[in-house]
Every structure is written in structure tokens, then in C-alpha cells.
Amino acid sequence: INTELKPLPYDPLKAKQLLLNDGWKDDGTGILKKEINGVTVPFQFNLNYFVKSTIGKAIVEFISSQLKEIGIQCEPRGLEIVDISAKLDDKDFDAVIMSWLQSLPPEDPRQIWSSEGVSLKGSSNFISFRNERVDEIINLLDFEDDRE
């Protein structure tokens, strides 16, 4: 654990100011809007979660309420796991809250973090994370299954 890392401050007023500085405006509706490519776009998105997860529901409702305070409309959307999976496979989602754990080494981080999975339907890299340096580091990893 890196104890030198400092947590980011929670500062919704500063967050809203940064958005305003970037051209987002509130026209009196409480939702920030911005002109993008000649079209006025509201700052809104759907946040998918597993509908049977009471913890997931509580988390997305909290996120939604916090974002609303700064002018972002986040719509919680509870879905069955099969529907979430289909949306992930098709990369047809605004945002999703999920969790998974990797087991202890020798689990291969390529499954989730390699750029190779970006274009593969059904890949665990459904968020399309791509980073050449991370790919280099992953490719340098060697695992030994024989403890002796």
C-alpha cells in the first residue's frame, strides 16, 4: 500500500466551477448544458446497476443525488444481469457500476486491462481501457506456477 498517496478532496463547488469554466451552463433548469458541434447537449447519462443488488442501488442513488447538486442528471437504471451483460458486450451503455476481483497471482491482468480486448466483443475490457504503457508492463510480467 502506498501511504504517500493523498485522497482527492471532495469539493462539489470546485467541481461545478470547473464545469462552468469548461463552458457548461445552467439555463434555469438545474441541469448543465453545453453546445457541442452546434447542438445544445444536457449533461445527463444513465448509470446501470444489477437490479437485485440493494447495495448497488443505494450507491447509484447516492451518486445520482450528489451529481444532481452540481447540475448533472444521472439516471439510475436497474437491469437484470443478462441485460447488463448484453449492453457490456455491445458497448451500449453510458456508465455501469459493477465489481469483480482478480484472484492472487498468477492471475493474468490481460483479461481486463490489455488494449487487445478493446475491439473484442464479449471482452472483459468492456470499458475500452487502452494504455500502451500498461500493455508494456503486462507483457513484462512472468508467472511461475511451480512453487518449488
Side-chain angles (χ1 to χ4, degrees), residues 1 3 14 53 56 91 93 109 116 118-119 121-122 136:
I1 296 176
T3 57
K14 182 175 181 182
S53 170
K91 298 184 188 288
F93 61 95
E116 294 170 6
V118 168
S119 59
K121 183 171 179 157
E136 290 171 11

Side-chain angles (χ1 to χ4, degrees), residues 4-143:
E4 294 182 23
L5 293 176
K6 303 296 181 215
L8 295 173
Y10 175 73
D11 192 342
L13 294 176
K14 182 175 181 182
K16 186 166 187 173
Q17 189 58 55
L18 288 170
L19 291 167
L20 294 172
N21 292 348
D22 192 44
W24 293 91
K25 295 179 174 72
D26 183 352
D27 61 3
T29 62
I31 302 299
L32 296 175
K33 296 177 180 71
K34 182 177 181 178
E35 189 171 313
I36 300 174
N37 296 327
V39 177
T40 300
V41 179
F43 201 145
Q44 64 185 25
F45 65 96
N46 296 317
L47 178 53
N48 299 332
Y49 69 97
F50 178 44
V51 72
K52 293 180 182 173
S53 170
T54 56
I55 293 172
K57 182 179 181 184
I59 291 170
V60 297
E61 287 175 349
F62 176 75
I63 291 169
S64 178
S65 69
Q66 295 299 296
L67 290 174
K68 185 176 184 178
E69 289 184 17
I70 63 170
I72 299 172
Q73 185 175 352
C74 169
E75 292 292 332
R77 182 176 286 171
L79 300 172
E80 293 292 337
I81 198 69
V82 68
D83 297 321
I84 291 175
S85 294
K87 288 192 171 293
L88 296 179
D89 285 349
D90 294 338
K91 298 184 188 288
D92 178 27
F93 61 95
D94 296 330
V96 63
I97 185 165
M98 296 181 68
S99 65
W100 69 87
L101 301 172
Q102 285 195 277
S103 62
L104 297 173
E107 178 105 9
D108 189 346
R110 283 177 187 85
Q111 176 186 356
I112 298 170
W113 301 112
S114 173
S115 299
E116 294 170 6
V118 168
S119 59
L120 300 175
K121 183 171 179 157
S123 164
S124 295
N125 186 356
F126 56 82
I127 59 170
S128 300
F129 178 82
R130 184 186 312 254
N131 184 296
E132 288 182 22
R133 180 65 183 133
V134 170
D135 289 340
E136 290 171 11
I137 292 168
I138 288 172
N139 290 330
L140 290 173
L141 295 174
D142 285 323
F143 295 102

